[in-house]
Amino acid sequence: MEVQIVQRVLKMNDELAAEVRQLLEAHDVTAVNMMSAPGSGKTSLLERTIQALGEAHDSTPLRIGVIEGDPDTSLDAERIQPLGVPVVQINTSGSCHLEANLVKRALASLPLDDLDVVIVENVGNMVCPVSFDLGESARVAVLSVTEGDDKPAKYAGIFRTANAVILNKVDLLPYVDFDLDRFKTFLGRVNDHAPLFMMSCKTGEGLEMWLSWLRGHLAEIRRS
Amino acid sequence: MEVQIVQRVLKMNDELAAEVRQLLEAHDVTAVNMMSAPGSGKTSLLERTIQALGEAHDSTPLRIGVIEGDPDTSLDAERIQPLGVPVVQINTSGSCHLEANLVKRALASLPLDDLDVVIVENVGNMVCPVSFDLGESARVAVLSVTEGDDKPAKYAGIFRTANAVILNKVDLLPYVDFDLDRFKTFLGRVNDHAPLFMMSCKTGEGLEMWLSWLRGHLAEIRRS
């Protein structure tokens, strides 16, 4: 009974995700669904990304919009807003993941014709968000080194469906017990194709590789 | 419709939690429900706790059992087992929280007559576990400093229902942007009664205070 309801909820979400995808395509915008545990540094990564894109002197600047998902508060949107990009905060009222209907509503508040990419920062949770398609073209899983090298084994789903994996806070590696080889072995068992970016939002390490990937992904989506 | 189902699931869980509570009371055992995001150090805290209790020369030793909850793998139970205390691993098969029926089943594998406390390490998740009573007499919320000082604001539920709060990995405070005053302010808004333990499983800081609290809690439960 419970299983049937869950399946119905997921089916309804899939239909709404398809609508989100159509809406985005109509405006030539792609969405990236960024997932992680709470506190792995998703918002810091967004800040860094926005700053770097703002400073880049490209012939074709990458215009970014942000959707912030949190159970409560608008703290994250308040961090993004001063950086001068469009941002919408979703509060899930205590719920543990974003769903496509919430993203669809949030997109109505973004100037889609002036954007190339919308990055959706999901609710901090390594389990529930995985089941919910938000209409994204790519998923990015973020893990910080302080969370432990065993996470791709214990929380396989988030890593299995990721198109890119970011290992964040690598500046803290000297201070924590994180076995990089063990992490890569566990990750390789559930996902052998997603690129892994070693990142520090504090030092800026890895930022260029991540931005290259983002640009490459956008180009690929536009070619297809 | 969805709301009704959720309410029914929670009601059924509450009934099973009451059964767990009766079972524990019959054996004079109390359960502590330990909750946090993935990677905040719950298992390390358990390791430290078990080691310290083993080394303590008390007239009345505190006998501990452990239930490990994870979406997948038995990695955590394999860490606890060598320490010589009874441990049961629950795999939720990808689900995001423990429920009372799983705990009830796990308790059947523990030697309850030889235990004083069962610590239940919930699935790493700051949202979903909060709604599910497991028959515990106390809840402990763990946050590591690397996760950010804003968490009691953004993930209020887990802190609101906690009987004790552990701020873990304080040895990393010099290397991260964590404003302790801001954290305490946010925490105080949702919970002004739970004691806060500054903890480092690496250095052992805070361990004695936490053990005192655990002993005190047990004594309180037995008096009541």
Side-chain angles (χ1 to χ4, degrees), chain B residues 16-115:
Chain B
L16 281 156
E19 289 180 26
V20 168
R21 213 162 259 125
Q22 277 176 2
L23 174 69
L24 289 169
E25 271 172 22
H27 294 270
D28 199 18
V29 175
T30 195
V32 172
N33 183 354
M34 191 179 274
M35 295 187 272
S36 80
S40 64
K42 293 187 294 304
T43 316
S44 297
L45 177 59
L46 275 171
E47 289 175 323
R48 273 287 198 171
T49 302
I50 293 162
Q51 283 160 350
L53 290 174
E55 288 158 13
H57 299 288
D58 278 311
S59 50
T60 53
L62 203 161
R63 299 164 304 167
I64 194 171
V66 174
I67 295 176
E68 288 288 350
D70 279 297
D72 210 349
T73 81
S74 56
L75 289 170
D76 282 356
E78 289 162 24
R79 286 172 62 184
I80 299 300
Q81 208 141 34
L83 303 175
V85 303
V87 57
V88 181
Q89 176 80 50
I90 298 175
N91 280 147
T92 61
S93 309
S95 178
C96 55
H97 60 275
L98 290 182
E99 297 188 15
N101 66 327
L102 297 171
V103 171
K104 193 183 167 196
R105 219 179 303 160
L107 286 174
S109 306
L110 287 177
L112 292 182
D113 287 329
D114 303 329
L115 297 176

Side-chain angles (χ1 to χ4, degrees), chain A residues 35-37 125-127 130 140-142 155-162:
Chain A
M35 293 187 274
S36 82
N125 184 335
M126 294 185 94
V127 184
V130 179
V140 177
V142 183
Y155 297 83
I158 186 173
F159 295 98
R160 188 176 290 124
T161 67

Side-chain angles (χ1 to χ4, degrees), chain A residues 68-80:
Chain A
E68 288 288 351
D70 279 297
D72 209 348
T73 80
S74 56
L75 288 170
D76 282 357
E78 288 162 25
R79 285 172 61 183
I80 299 300

Side-chain angles (χ1 to χ4, degrees), chain A residues 31-77:
Chain A
V32 173
N33 183 354
M34 191 178 274
M35 293 187 274
S36 82
S40 63
K42 294 187 295 304
T43 316
S44 298
L45 177 60
L46 275 171
E47 289 174 324
R48 274 285 197 172
T49 302
I50 293 162
Q51 283 160 349
L53 290 174
E55 287 159 12
H57 298 288
D58 278 311
S59 50
T60 53
L62 201 161
R63 299 164 304 168
I64 195 171
V66 174
I67 295 176
E68 288 288 351
D70 279 297
D72 209 348
T73 80
S74 56
L75 288 170
D76 282 357

Side-chain angles (χ1 to χ4, degrees), chain A residues 72-73, chain B residues 126 141 149-163 165 182-194:
Chain A
D72 209 348
T73 80
Chain B
M126 294 185 93
D149 48 40
D150 57 0
K151 292 302 167 292
K154 286 160 76 177
Y155 297 83
I158 186 173
F159 295 97
R160 188 176 291 124
T161 67
N163 300 93
V165 176
R182 191 167 182 250
F183 168 73
K184 285 180 178 171
T185 301
F186 282 143
L187 179 60
R189 281 183 200 158
V190 295
N191 189 329
D192 60 5
H193 55 276

Side-chain angles (χ1 to χ4, degrees), chain A residues 1-2 5 8-9 37-40 42-43 69-73 75-76 79 94-96 99 121-128 144 146-148 150-151 153-156 160 169 171-172 174-177 182 186 202, chain B residues 1-2 5 8-9 37-40 42-43 69-73 75-76 79 94-96 99 121-128 144 146-148 150-151 153-156 160 169 171-172 174-177 182 186 202:
Chain A
M1 173 60 171
E2 203 186 328
I5 295 293
R8 201 183 308 164
V9 169
S40 63
K42 294 187 295 304
T43 316
D70 279 297
D72 209 348
T73 80
L75 288 170
D76 282 357
R79 285 172 61 183
S95 178
C96 54
E99 297 188 15
E121 182 182 334
N122 218 312
V123 175
N125 184 335
M126 294 185 94
V127 184
C128 315
S144 64
T146 60
E147 296 168 54
D150 57 359
K151 292 302 166 291
K154 287 161 74 177
Y155 297 83
R160 188 176 290 124
K169 308 191 191 178
D171 55 293
L172 293 177
Y175 312 111
V176 295
D177 298 321
R182 190 166 183 251
F186 282 142
K202 208 153 208 175
Chain B
M1 173 61 169
E2 204 186 326
I5 295 292
R8 203 182 310 164
V9 169
S40 64
K42 293 187 294 304
T43 316
D70 279 297
D72 210 349
T73 81
L75 289 170
D76 282 356
R79 286 172 62 184
S95 178
C96 55
E99 297 188 15
E121 182 182 333
N122 219 310
V123 175
N125 184 334
M126 294 185 93
V127 184
C128 314
S144 64
T146 61
E147 296 168 53
D150 57 0
K151 292 302 167 292
K154 286 160 76 177
Y155 297 83
R160 188 176 291 124
K169 308 191 190 178
D171 54 293
L172 294 176
Y175 312 111
V176 296
D177 299 320
R182 191 167 182 250
F186 282 143
K202 208 154 209 175

